Amino acid sequence: MVRPKNVYLNLSFAIIAILLTTGCLSLPLQKARSEFYSGDLNQADYLLEGCKGVSEKDLLLCYMEKGIILHYMEAYEESTEVLLKASQLIKAQDQISVTDQSSALVINDRVMTYKGEYSERLWVHTFLMMDFLLQSKYEDALVEAKQALELYDKYPDSLAGDHFTRALIALCYENMNLPDDVRIEHEKLAKEMGIEKLSPEPVTHGKGELVLFIAQGRSPIKVSSDVVLPPTIRISIPVYTDGSPPASVSIRSYGNTLDPFKISTDLGQVARKSLDERSAQYLTRQALRAGAKEAIAEKVGEDNVIGEVFARAILFILEEADTRSWETLPGGLTLVRITLDPGIHDLEISSGNSQTVHLNGVDIPEGGRAYRSLRF
Amino acid sequence: MQKIYIRVLIMMICSASLIMAGCMATTRNLNPQDETHYDASYDFSDKNKIVERLVTPLLTAPAFPVQTKPILIVYPVVNETSEHISTGGITDAIRTRLVQSGRFRFINESQRDNIQKETNYQNQGYVDPAQRVEQGRQSGADYILSGTLRSIKKQQPEQMRLFKKERIYYSLDLSITDLKTGEIVYADQAELAREASKPIIGW
């Protein structure tokens, strides 16, 4: 016969261990994010070196954050390498894990392996497409475009609002001289945007094009939204914080304001829709977990009333929403395509009321494209 | 008493050996010609199959009579699949097989810069004039060998099931273009189709 006191003691140790483990999971990730937003990209990259100190369950987040950090350090080859690992991991994790599900059933969703929201899975390919285009690897960019299209087909409702990625896919087809696919993607994009037709100016003989990937702001983060039901049932679900849509981008060249082809995506809006789409999954798990926790508390209460109070308190504390997300993502992404004469150009790019970025000495090839990625 | 100690010791050694053997990393050699697939995606067995399928008929193609020994230049196979496939491996293998057959000659396009560097060096006065390679004597290609690798992927629709099925179809279109006329003088296609399934539930 096991003494109730020993049971409580063991339970307390187990709970403290779980709390400590879950609390420490993202320490290098949190530090790297904070360094990234304070502008020390090298330190942010260093903190995620080899993803040391990051739990296996958060490995995907580590790859995703590091991929973006390296992208904005202009280390496009290294960013590609890391984001390809993220892409492979997403595919490898595309399975329902019995261990994950069973531990989430009694603890919380935070103990599960992070698989990425549908939108985040798409943005891995979006950043890979940008990385490959910036390295002039057009075939590889097209491979990523096709993988992104598979996700659009799989989660059409969640991802329909991501116009930037769709326009990027069309651009990848354009680079490979596949006009039918370009037309199809532009038709889909026009439909999603609710406009009749969308056709950016083609690169003609004697002209060139500058393609800008403009990132603005910071994507909204997930926070916990809690509801308490009697007697001690705590429902804790993740919700995205409010964000603002991407500000307008203006481009000037030698004193003249240009009016190029622009397509923007509010990443926060797509992320929210994506999370909503997944709500049935985590709400079902919440309901099952609430039932399981209630049963555990009642079982403990059969032997000891104080024990039940103690167990209820611990199980209440343990209920925590999974607020993990890809936090270095921008709030908005804008694709800008500017037709220019071949040669060297100086440009000024401003986003809303924030600072102006000077792009000097951009070499536009005749009949070709030059690519730049900026973040405000 | 001593016997018990010995038995316990033997048991411990056996258990430790079993555990260590179970955890030990292993390596083994594979025959590159053996067909091994872990999933539906493209792998080295497919490369071998595609190359074999395309090279065999090319060696007896009437467009290239035995005595002519045409000179070919290989342009990379364009990857239009949804996987990052190094198509250089396919073109290299096709070229190797054709060179070994003795029916075709090839221009080494990837070594052009190095050839130029080396011949420039030889003609700068450092090399014995009798041994210098004369510039302007390189062979010109008669034909361009090019190709496109494509894939069509289909996944089983979302429904109640224990396994996720995936079908992939690959095709490699190979063509040989006459540089003088711009005409496609030879074309062939190799196809592969595969289905793989993966359990939806895992540990």
Side-chain angles (χ1 to χ4, degrees), chain A residues 6-67:
Chain A
N6 287 346
V7 173
Y8 304 142
L9 199 66
N10 291 341
L11 194 62
S12 320
F13 278 128
I15 301 271
I16 290 163
I18 289 161
L19 283 172
L20 283 173
T21 323
T22 50
C24 294
L25 282 183
S26 308
L27 211 59
L29 279 175
Q30 294 299 356
K31 279 187 183 170
R33 286 164 180 159
S34 140
E35 293 293 348
F36 176 77
Y37 282 111
S38 66
D40 193 346
L41 271 64
N42 286 317
Q43 181 63 13
D45 173 42
Y46 172 75
L47 285 164
L48 295 181
E49 194 60 53
C51 291
K52 281 176 208 146
V54 176
S55 155
E56 279 285 310
K57 294 186 187 296
D58 287 346
L59 198 56
L60 179 61
L61 278 171
C62 179
Y63 290 151
M64 294 195 299
E65 306 289 16
K66 198 171 165 69

Side-chain angles (χ1 to χ4, degrees), chain A residues 84 91-100 132 139-140 142-144 146-147 150 154 176 178, chain B residues 76-85 87 151 153 155 158 164 166 198-203:
Chain A
L84 281 174
K91 282 174 200 144
Q93 289 176 348
D94 189 20
Q95 234 180 7
I96 299 165
S97 159
V98 174
T99 39
D100 264 7
F132 281 127
E139 267 182 44
D140 290 305
L142 184 64
V143 168
E144 291 306 321
K146 290 189 171 186
Q147 293 189 13
E150 283 175 23
K154 204 170 175 185
M176 296 293 291
L178 297 162
Chain B
V77 167
V78 178
N79 177 16
E80 282 186 19
T81 71
S82 55
E83 290 166 65
H84 292 282
I85 296 169
T87 53
S151 72
K153 198 194 255 185
Q155 282 188 338
E158 300 273 332
K164 209 181 277 180
E166 185 182 59
K198 184 182 165 188
I200 285 176
I201 298 166
W203 285 106

Side-chain angles (χ1 to χ4, degrees), chain A residues 267-287:
Chain A
L267 270 69
Q269 201 180 23
V270 180
R272 268 179 223 106
K273 212 168 175 191
S274 197
L275 183 63
D276 286 349
E277 195 77 11
R278 208 173 55 82
S279 61
Q281 265 181 37
Y282 59 74
L283 287 173
T284 310
R285 221 170 15 245
Q286 275 274 349

Side-chain angles (χ1 to χ4, degrees), chain A residues 156-172:
Chain A
D157 297 334
S158 311
L159 307 176
D162 187 359
H163 305 145
F164 174 89
T165 303
R166 182 77 80 182
L168 199 57
I169 291 169
L171 182 63
C172 291

Side-chain angles (χ1 to χ4, degrees), chain A residues 16-310:
Chain A
I16 290 163
I18 289 161
L19 283 172
L20 283 173
T21 323
T22 50
C24 294
L25 282 183
S26 308
L27 211 59
L29 279 175
Q30 294 299 356
K31 279 187 183 170
R33 286 164 180 159
S34 140
E35 293 293 348
F36 176 77
Y37 282 111
S38 66
D40 193 346
L41 271 64
N42 286 317
Q43 181 63 13
D45 173 42
Y46 172 75
L47 285 164
L48 295 181
E49 194 60 53
C51 291
K52 281 176 208 146
V54 176
S55 155
E56 279 285 310
K57 294 186 187 296
D58 287 346
L59 198 56
L60 179 61
L61 278 171
C62 179
Y63 290 151
M64 294 195 299
E65 306 289 16
K66 198 171 165 69
I68 283 214
I69 293 164
L70 288 164
H71 178 92
Y72 290 110
M73 283 170 75
E74 296 182 16
Y76 302 123
E77 204 177 331
E78 291 83 351
S79 170
T80 305
E81 219 172 278
V82 177
L83 288 172
L84 281 174
K85 281 186 189 173
S87 172
Q88 280 161 7
L89 192 60
I90 289 167
K91 282 174 200 144
Q93 289 176 348
D94 189 20
Q95 234 180 7
I96 299 165
S97 159
V98 174
T99 39
D100 264 7
Q101 294 291 331
S102 45
S103 44
L105 209 59
V106 284
I107 305 168
N108 56 44
D109 284 2
R110 189 76 181 73
V111 296
M112 293 171 80
T113 303
Y114 190 71
K115 293 183 179 179
E117 296 296 341
Y118 307 146
S119 54
E120 291 174 349
R121 293 181 206 177
L122 177 70
W123 293 327
V124 167
H125 299 298
T126 308
F127 272 89
L128 274 168
M129 271 188 267
M130 287 193 262
D131 279 344
F132 281 127
L133 291 175
L134 286 155
Q135 295 172 77
S136 308
K137 293 182 176 174
Y138 305 125
E139 267 182 44
D140 290 305
L142 184 64
V143 168
E144 291 306 321
K146 290 189 171 186
Q147 293 189 13
L149 278 175
E150 283 175 23
L151 287 174
Y152 270 110
D153 289 343
K154 204 170 175 185
Y155 311 111
D157 297 334
S158 311
L159 307 176
D162 187 359
H163 305 145
F164 174 89
T165 303
R166 182 77 80 182
L168 199 57
I169 291 169
L171 182 63
C172 291
Y173 277 120
E174 224 171 308
N175 280 324
M176 296 293 291
N177 294 318
L178 297 162
D180 283 342
D181 297 282
V182 177
R183 178 185 50 80
I184 291 166
E185 289 316 309
H186 281 151
E187 277 174 9
K188 285 184 199 168
L189 187 55
K191 200 177 164 193
E192 282 166 5
M193 291 171 76
I195 56 173
E196 206 174 310
K197 207 181 169 193
L198 192 90
S199 44
E201 213 177 308
V203 180
T204 51
H205 188 68
K207 288 278 177 187
E209 192 176 50
L210 173 64
V211 180
L212 300 173
F213 309 129
I214 301 176
Q216 297 153 292
R218 188 177 172 164
S219 74
I221 54 163
K222 281 185 206 160
V223 290
S224 164
S225 171
D226 292 3
V227 177
V228 178
L229 301 171
T232 54
I233 298 168
R234 181 180 169 199
I235 306 283
S236 189
I237 56 164
V239 285
Y240 275 104
T241 52
D242 290 333
S244 49
S248 65
V249 173
S250 71
I251 295 144
R252 290 171 70 81
S253 173
Y254 305 108
N256 300 318
T257 304
L258 305 175
D259 184 25
F261 173 87
K262 282 184 253 177
I263 295 279
S264 296
T265 293
D266 178 350
L267 270 69
Q269 201 180 23
V270 180
R272 268 179 223 106
K273 212 168 175 191
S274 197
L275 183 63
D276 286 349
E277 195 77 11
R278 208 173 55 82
S279 61
Q281 265 181 37
Y282 59 74
L283 287 173
T284 310
R285 221 170 15 245
Q286 275 274 349
L288 290 170
R289 186 161 55 236
K293 286 184 173 178
E294 192 57 25
I296 292 170
E298 277 176 16
K299 186 78 187 155
V300 173
E302 281 175 12
D303 298 329
N304 190 319
V305 181
I306 298 167
E308 186 183 339
V309 173
F310 184 63

